[in-house]
C-alpha cells in the first residue's frame, strides 16, 4: 500500500493558482470549502477578487455560491461592490468564449462559470465530437460533489449530447438521486425514447405533494413536448394551477382535446382555457413562447360556439376574462 504522505503534493490556491494554499474557508457547501492563499482569502471575503481569481473559483464551486454570486461579480468576473480596490492587469482578466472555444476542457470550464447555459456556448460545444465530450462530461460529473456543477454537466448532456448520452442517462436513473431530478429530466428528454423517459419521471413525480406537483411537472416534462404528457395530466390533475396550462400548451394540444377538457369541467376546463391563452405571445413566459405553441386541428367555425357554451356553465369573472383574451387572439392560437 502506498503511503499517503508520499502522495501529497503541495496544493495550489484554487483562486490564483500561483501561491500555495494555506487557508480553508467555509463555503455554502460544507463538503466543499474554498482552499486559498492568504491574499485570495482576504480578497474573497472583501468581494474583491480579480476576474481570473473569480473565474477559477467559479469553475470549481460554480458562480452560484454566495461569495461568488451575481450581486458581487459580473459574468466576466469584474467585482461590482468590492470593499477594496481591485487592480486588474491584462493577465488578471477572465477568459472569454473566444479564448476558450478551441480547447474542449477550457470550454467546459467556461460553461460551468456561466449563470445559464446559453446558445453561444452550446453552439461551440456542438462543434466537438460528441463521444469525446461525453467522456469529459462524465468524468467531471463523477469527480465533483458540487450540485451546481453536476447540474450544469447534465444540462450539457441535454443540450449538446442528445442520444449519445443515452447509456449514461440510463445509468443515472439506475442510481437515481432525487436531488438531480430536474436536470436529469432534461437530459432524459433529449437522450431516451419518450415512453421510457416519461415512465421514469412519472414514477418519481408520484411522490410529489399536490401543491408542488404542477411546477415540478412543468420543469421535468416541458422538454418532452409529448401528447403522452397530456394523457398523464388527465389522470393526475386534481387542482387548477398556472403551470398545467403552460405544460399542456407546449405538448401539441389538439382542439379535440381542448373540447373534451372543457366538457370535463374543473379543473381540466380551466386548464384548457389557460392552455389556449398560453398560445398568445406576451401571455406565457419565455419557456412557453420559445415553442410558439398552437391548438392543432381546430374546427375554426366552432370555436366561438364551444367557448360560449362553456361560459354558460361557468360564468365567473376569470373565465370571462380568459375567454375574451382567447377570442381576441383566435388567429394566433388556433390552427
Ligand atoms: Zn491565491
Amino acid at each position: 500500500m502506498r503511503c499517503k504522505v508520499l502522495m501529497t503534493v503541495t496544493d495550489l490556491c484554487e483562486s490564483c493558482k500561483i501561491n500555495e494554499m494555506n487557508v480553508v474557508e467555509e463555503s455554502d457547501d460544507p463538503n466543499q470549502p474554498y482552499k486559498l492563499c492568504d491574499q485570495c482569502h482576504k480578497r474573497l471575503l472583501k468581494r474583491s477578487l480579480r476576474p481570473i481569481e473569480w473565474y477559477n473559483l467559479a469553475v470549481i464551486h460554480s458562480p452560484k455560491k454566495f461569495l461568488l454570486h451575481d450581486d458581487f461579480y459580473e459574468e466576466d468576473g469584474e467585482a461590482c461592490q468590492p470593499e477594496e480596490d481591485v487592480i486588474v492587469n491584462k493577465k488578471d482578466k477572465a477568459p472569454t468564449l473566444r479564448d476558450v472555444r478551441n480547447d474542449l476542457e477550457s470550454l467546459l470550464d467556461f460553461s460551468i462559470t456561466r449563470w445559464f447555459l446559453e446558445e453561444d456556448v452550446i453552439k461551440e460545444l456542438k462543434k466537438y465530437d460528441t463521444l469525446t465530450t461525453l467522456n469529459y462530461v462524465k468524468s467531471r460529473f463523477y469527480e465533483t460533489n458540487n450540485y451546481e456543477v453536476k447540474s450544469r454537466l447534465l444540462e450539457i448532456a441535454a443540450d449538446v449530447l442528445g442520444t449519445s448520452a443515452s447509456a449514461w442517462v440510463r445509468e443515472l436513473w439506475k442510481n437515481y438521486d432525487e436531488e438531480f431530478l430536474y436536470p436529469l429530466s432534461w437530459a432524459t428528454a433529449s437522450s431516451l425514447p419518450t415512453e421510457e423517459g416519461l415512465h421514469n419521471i412519472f414514477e418519481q413525480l408520484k411522490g410529489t405533494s399536490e401543491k408542488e406537483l404542477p411546477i415540478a411537472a412543468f420543469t421535468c416534462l416541458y422538454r418532452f413536448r409529448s401528447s403522452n404528457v397530456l394523457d398523464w395530466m388527465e389522470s393526475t390533475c386534481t387542482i387548477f394551477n398556472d403551470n398545467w396550462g403552460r405544460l399542456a400548451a407546449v405538448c401539441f394540444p389538439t382542439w379535440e382535446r381542448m373540447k373534451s377538457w372543457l366538457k370535463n369541467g374543473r379543473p381540466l376546463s380551466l386548464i384548457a382555457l389557460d392552455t389556449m391563452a398560453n398560445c398568445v405571445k406576451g401571455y406565457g413566459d419565455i419557456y412557453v413562447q420559445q415553442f410558439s405553441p398552437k391548438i392543432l386541428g381546430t374546427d375554426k367555425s366552432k370555436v366561438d360556439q364551444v367557448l360560449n357554451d362553456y361560459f354558460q356553465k361557468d360564468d365567473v369573472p376569470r373565465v370571462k376574462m380568459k375567454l375574451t383574451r382567447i377570442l381576441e387572439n383566435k388567429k394566433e392560437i388556433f390552427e
Side-chain angles (χ1 to χ4, degrees), residues 20-39:
E20 264 179 46
M21 84 91 169
N22 45 23
V23 188
V24 175
E25 171 69 32
E26 261 182 45
S27 84
D28 335 25
D29 181 349
N31 297 316
Q32 197 186 31
Y34 300 107
K35 296 174 183 169
L36 303 165
C37 70
D38 281 324
Q39 291 98 311

Side-chain angles (χ1 to χ4, degrees), residues 174-288:
K174 225 187 226 168
N175 304 297
Y176 175 67
D177 178 348
E178 62 180 347
E179 211 184 356
F180 295 102
L181 175 61
Y182 291 173
L184 179 57
S185 299
W186 306 334
T188 301
S190 337
S191 68
L192 296 190
T194 304
E195 276 193 28
E196 178 188 349
L198 286 177
H199 172 78
N200 290 339
I201 296 167
F202 291 158
E203 281 301 302
Q204 295 312 320
L205 289 174
K206 278 182 185 165
T208 310
S209 71
E210 190 180 53
K211 194 166 159 257
E212 295 298 322
L213 184 62
I215 182 67
F218 179 80
T219 313
C220 291
L221 301 171
Y222 80 94
R223 285 180 176 231
F224 282 88
R225 308 204 64 200
S226 163
S227 61
N228 295 4
V229 170
L230 301 175
D231 296 339
W232 174 81
M233 280 176 60
E234 288 178 4
S235 59
T236 309
C237 293
T238 48
I239 48 167
F240 173 78
N241 181 288
D242 288 346
N243 286 294
W244 291 129
R246 295 169 76 210
L247 179 58
V250 301
C251 292
F252 301 106
T254 62
W255 173 240
E256 280 308 310
R257 176 122 31 193
M258 293 299 100
K259 279 197 301 187
S260 94
W261 286 9
L262 288 174
K263 213 182 246 172
N264 205 290
R266 294 181 176 205
L268 277 178
S269 54
L270 294 181
I271 295 169
L273 295 178
D274 238 26
T275 305
M276 295 179 232
N278 266 303
C279 298
V280 182
K281 274 215 164 58
Y283 179 85
D285 54 274
I286 46 163
Y287 289 107
V288 176

Side-chain angles (χ1 to χ4, degrees), residues 291-326:
F291 300 113
S292 307
K294 306 265 178 225
I295 305 300
L296 305 173
T298 310
D299 180 351
K300 290 174 194 166
S301 63
K302 296 278 167 56
V303 171
D304 287 71
Q305 189 202 325
V306 169
L307 292 178
N308 286 322
D309 284 353
Y310 178 74
F311 185 60
Q312 300 307 315
K313 292 183 284 179
D314 194 3
D315 59 345
V316 298
R318 90 165 162 187
V319 167
K320 184 164 192 184
M321 222 169 61
K322 216 145 264 181
L323 283 185
T324 310
R325 180 184 285 273
I326 294 167

Side-chain angles (χ1 to χ4, degrees), residues 12-21 35-41 43 53:
L12 289 180
C13 165
E14 291 176 344
S15 182
C16 63
K17 291 191 166 175
I18 298 168
N19 303 328
E20 264 179 46
M21 84 91 169
K35 296 174 183 169
L36 303 165
C37 70
D38 281 324
Q39 291 98 311
C40 290
H41 179 233
R43 286 198 284 273
E53 294 167 349

Side-chain angles (χ1 to χ4, degrees), residues 16-145:
C16 63
K17 291 191 166 175
I18 298 168
N19 303 328
E20 264 179 46
M21 84 91 169
N22 45 23
V23 188
V24 175
E25 171 69 32
E26 261 182 45
S27 84
D28 335 25
D29 181 349
N31 297 316
Q32 197 186 31
Y34 300 107
K35 296 174 183 169
L36 303 165
C37 70
D38 281 324
Q39 291 98 311
C40 290
H41 179 233
K42 270 183 208 131
R43 286 198 284 273
L44 174 70
L45 297 185
K46 295 194 165 190
R47 293 91 166 106
S48 310
L49 292 169
R50 294 166 183 149
I52 185 65
E53 294 167 349
W54 170 85
Y55 182 87
N56 289 337
L57 287 181
V59 169
I60 301 170
H61 297 272
S62 96
K64 294 174 184 171
K65 287 284 178 288
F66 176 69
L67 286 169
L68 303 175
H69 81 296
D70 59 354
D71 278 356
F72 303 141
Y73 295 93
E74 300 290 347
E75 219 174 9
D76 62 2
E78 190 194 327
C80 340
Q81 18 180 324
E83 288 170 25
E84 64 181 32
D85 287 345
V86 184
I87 299 155
V88 182
N89 294 312
K90 209 174 164 204
K91 66 172 178 37
D92 304 319
K93 290 216 155 72
T96 62
L97 180 57
R98 234 188 136 75
D99 298 329
V100 298
R101 64 183 177 182
N102 292 322
D103 177 70
L104 179 55
E105 286 259 50
S106 309
L107 180 57
L108 287 170
D109 284 346
F110 184 86
S111 73
I112 291 166
T113 66
R114 304 299 89 188
W115 297 323
F116 303 101
L117 184 62
E118 283 174 349
E119 210 40 61
D120 53 351
V121 176
I122 294 171
K123 208 174 120 199
E124 293 300 333
L125 282 165
K126 279 186 174 167
K127 290 182 184 166
Y128 287 88
D129 169 60
T130 46
L131 286 179
T132 313
T133 311
L134 173 66
N135 285 334
Y136 277 115
V137 165
K138 275 171 72 174
S139 72
R140 282 177 178 235
F141 184 89
Y142 292 113
E143 267 163 23
T144 182
N145 285 319

